[in-house]
């Protein structure tokens, strides 16, 4: 499209999310999902809706909010019994253009802080937010969605702290983010969550933030790991959590 900047999905129908929240069966699905993934219910509930009929066995929907309008603009639906996903609305315009997907939780970013923490998935973002970490957002559809995501909310931050999986897709996504960051004067720092030392004396890491939190990662340990990653990069720990 001409010089208007990236498009993001149209808003959901007014009241749609509220109607989903009013369903007791849906609320129970949210509670079950939070319990299963060790998410802090009070932190998680505003961003999740239960969808009993979306898939066999029910589903939860991650509610995305457009940072500019502060209105719900997307629901990423995840089946509870198997790994099935769909998105409401699909984000295609009448012109057949593909809309850029928004970052999950981008509407909560605090511009007064110098850094944002980016995860690959919504559950990781909610896990780390549940610990008390600030400015946590998630890619909308895993590492493979990095090129089709509206990254503009990150462009005001000097540092992007990436919590991506250490696999081929995660490393490629981190490389792309580093390239985008350089273009906007931002620096990427990768943080990982150590699990144990292997018999060969090498550090083994948890797959992602949620796995680490489920296994017992707490706020103090998470802060220490991020501080260490920043110190290795800059020689000092920046005030990424504010003063």
């Amino acid at each position: 499209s001409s010089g208007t900047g990236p498009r993001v999905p149209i808003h959901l129908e007014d009241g749609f999310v509220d109607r989903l929240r009013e369903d007791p069966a849906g609320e129970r699905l949210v509670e079950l999902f939070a319990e299963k993934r060790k998410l802090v219910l009070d932190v998680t509930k505003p961003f999740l809706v239960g969808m009993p009929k979306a898939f066999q066995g029910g589903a939860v929907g991650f509610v995305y909010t457009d940072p500019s309008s502060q209105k719900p603009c997307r629901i990423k639906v995840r089946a509870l019994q198997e790994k099935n996903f769909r998105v409401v609305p699909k984000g295609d315009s009448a012109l057949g253009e593909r809309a850029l997907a928004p970052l999950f939780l981008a509407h909560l970013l605090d511009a007064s802080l110098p850094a944002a923490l980016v995860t690959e998935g919504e559950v990781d973002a909610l896990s780390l937010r549940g610990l008390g970490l600030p400015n946590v957002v998630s890619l909308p559809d895993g590492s493979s969605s990095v090129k089709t995501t509206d990254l503009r909310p990150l462009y005001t931050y000097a540092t992007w702290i990436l919590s991506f999986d250490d696999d081929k897709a995660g490393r490629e996504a981190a490389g792309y983010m580093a390239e985008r960051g350089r273009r906007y004067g931002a620096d990427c720092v990768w943080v990982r969550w150590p699990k144990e030392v292997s018999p060969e004396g090498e550090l083994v890491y948890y797959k992602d933030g949620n796995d680490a939190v489920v296994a017992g990662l707490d706020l103090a340990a998470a802060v220490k790991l991020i501080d260490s990653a920043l110190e290795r990069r800059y020689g000092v720990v920046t005030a990424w959590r504010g003063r």
Side-chain angles (χ1 to χ4, degrees):
S1 61
S2 60
T4 54
R7 288 185 323 101
V8 291
I10 54 173
H11 296 139
L12 294 165
E13 173 198 339
D14 278 349
F16 179 63
V17 170
D18 293 331
R19 287 197 297 277
L20 289 174
R21 291 197 201 285
E22 286 161 9
D23 180 357
E27 191 172 15
R28 181 67 189 133
L29 288 176
V30 169
E31 289 167 358
L32 282 170
F33 184 75
E35 190 179 331
K36 182 181 173 188
R37 301 305 291 264
K38 297 281 194 293
L39 300 171
V40 178
L41 189 60
D42 289 350
V43 171
T44 299
K45 229 173 172 181
F47 315 110
L48 271 183
V49 289
M51 304 179 81
K53 296 173 186 169
F55 286 106
Q56 191 71 33
V60 292
F62 299 96
V63 180
Y64 282 65
T65 297
D66 184 328
S68 55
S69 68
Q70 294 291 312
K71 285 187 173 185
C73 62
R74 182 184 204 253
I75 296 179
K76 165 107 164 275
V77 186
R78 178 193 181 115
L80 285 188
Q81 291 186 358
E82 52 202 308
K83 207 163 183 184
N84 274 341
F85 297 95
R86 65 185 174 87
V87 173
V88 184
K90 289 195 180 304
D92 292 330
S93 76
L95 302 173
E97 297 171 331
R98 187 73 185 156
L100 289 175
L103 289 161
F104 181 60
L105 305 182
H107 66 297
L108 298 177
L109 285 168
D110 178 352
S112 72
L113 297 176
L117 200 163
V118 189
T119 71
E120 274 194 37
E122 297 93 348
V123 176
D124 297 327
L126 290 171
S127 292
L128 297 177
R129 185 173 166 77
L131 290 184
L133 295 177
N135 268 15
V136 186
V137 294
S138 155
L139 294 174
D141 296 298
S143 55
S144 62
S145 66
V146 69
K147 293 182 181 177
T148 53
T149 299
D150 184 8
L151 298 175
R152 287 176 299 171
L154 297 177
Y155 293 164
T156 55
Y157 297 96
T159 304
W160 303 353
I161 302 164
L162 307 182
S163 172
F164 290 177
D165 297 357
D166 188 23
D167 55 16
K168 184 172 182 283
R171 287 190 293 271
E172 284 177 358
Y176 179 80
M177 293 285 284
E179 178 195 314
R180 296 297 296 174
R182 276 194 294 274
R183 194 173 296 185
Y184 291 92
D187 194 34
C188 285
V189 175
W190 204 349
V191 66
R192 295 165 68 196
W193 315 107
K195 181 178 186 178
E196 61 196 4
V197 177
S198 73
E200 295 76 37
E202 291 182 3
L203 263 181
V204 179
Y205 294 91
Y206 288 105
K207 179 180 176 291
D208 53 38
N210 179 246
D211 277 4
V213 170
V214 167
L217 179 75
D218 61 15
L219 177 61
V223 167
K224 194 173 176 182
L225 287 163
I226 294 171
D227 281 349
S228 297
L230 293 168
E231 195 165 12
R232 278 196 305 276
R233 185 55 169 264
Y234 302 123
V236 293
V237 177
T238 57
W240 58 277
R241 291 198 297 159
R243 298 194 183 279

